[in-house]
């Protein structure tokens, strides 16, 4: 979902891992041109059942499985756009 404008292989966005937050918060804009896309818009257009998110932290890749970000009881995703000014990701539990 993160399509960097000038990819060189070392791109990243800062992320906060927060056990007090239940959802995934991803950029809702192009972050001042750092990205060539709007990740939240792409997510809403492309998500499908049983699809995982993959996050790389410190060179290790972790899966965020579908059942962690989809709320079956309410039939909705637990993925939200970041608020204005936020320059990264928020990964809840």
């Amino acid at each position: 979902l993160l399509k960097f404008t000038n990819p060189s292989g070392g791109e990243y966005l800062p992320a906060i891992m927060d056990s007090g937050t239940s959802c995934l918060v991803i950029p809702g804009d192009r972050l001042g041109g750092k990205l060539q896309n709007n990740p939240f818009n792409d997510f809403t257009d492309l998500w499908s059942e049983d699809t995982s998110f993959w996050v790389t932290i410190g060179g290790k890749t972790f899966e965020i499985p579908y059942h962690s970000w989809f709320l079956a009881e309410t039939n909705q995703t637990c993925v939200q756009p970041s608020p204005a000014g936020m320059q990264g990701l928020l990964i809840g539990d």
Side-chain angles (χ1 to χ4, degrees):
L1 287 175
L2 300 177
K3 297 177 185 172
F4 290 93
T5 301
N6 296 308
S8 63
E11 300 75 31
Y12 70 93
L13 289 179
I16 298 169
M17 297 185 78
D18 182 2
S19 63
T21 301
S22 297
C23 292
L24 221 51
V25 178
I26 60 177
D29 61 27
R30 295 183 58 222
L31 300 181
K34 188 171 188 171
L35 301 174
Q36 36 176 307
N37 67 321
N38 178 321
F40 184 76
N41 285 354
D42 286 355
F43 168 77
T44 58
D45 291 341
L46 301 172
W47 80 273
S48 62
E49 289 187 24
D50 298 323
T51 302
S52 295
F53 278 93
W54 299 90
V55 179
T56 302
I57 302 169
K60 295 184 181 183
T61 302
F62 300 90
E63 179 181 11
I64 303 172
Y66 174 77
H67 68 269
S68 292
W69 60 264
F70 186 79
L71 306 170
E73 260 184 47
T74 57
N75 198 34
Q76 63 186 5
T77 66
C78 194
V79 179
Q80 302 170 345
S82 59
M86 184 176 170
Q87 296 291 305
L89 308 166
L90 182 63
I91 303 170
D93 62 357

